[in-house]
Amino acid sequence: MAQEVSEYLSQNPRVAAWVETLRCEGETDKHWRHRREFLLRNAGDLVPATPEEAADAESGTRSRQLQQLVSFSMAWANHVFLGCRYPQKVMDKILSMAEGIKVTDAPIHTTRDELVAKKG
């Protein structure tokens, strides 16, 4: 899928430039590659069609929706790569949004509950 994303972005430089603005400073290439896929799969009509639309995206409903999408993408990446957990409603949402994204090099995390269960 990563190849498909790269190919799509090479054919759509406007989208590539837009999504690159959502990358966090210091974000590793591995994390960004997967989070970018999450963003692109879920952006829908949040991707600005014109430069004017991009400028207008800073305000209103569209801005709130984009902030929410970016937050979900970060929560998903934190869950996958760092083992973070969130309230069940959030976990259900981000996991459904990430359906179909293949992360083959994610670390394996053991929760405190799993460790306690092993001892008992």
Side-chain angles (χ1 to χ4, degrees), residues 19-37:
V19 78
E20 198 60 36
T21 66
L22 303 177
R23 184 174 185 171
C24 295
E25 189 175 320
E27 187 168 17
T28 67
D29 289 340
K30 179 172 89 172
H31 288 203
W32 173 238
R33 185 174 60 250
H34 296 296
R35 195 168 73 82
R36 179 180 66 187
E37 183 178 346

Side-chain angles (χ1 to χ4, degrees), residues 32-49:
W32 173 238
R33 185 174 60 250
H34 296 296
R35 195 168 73 82
R36 179 180 66 187
E37 183 178 346
F38 183 101
L39 288 163
L40 291 170
R41 283 175 170 255
N42 293 286
D45 62 354
L46 292 176
V47 178

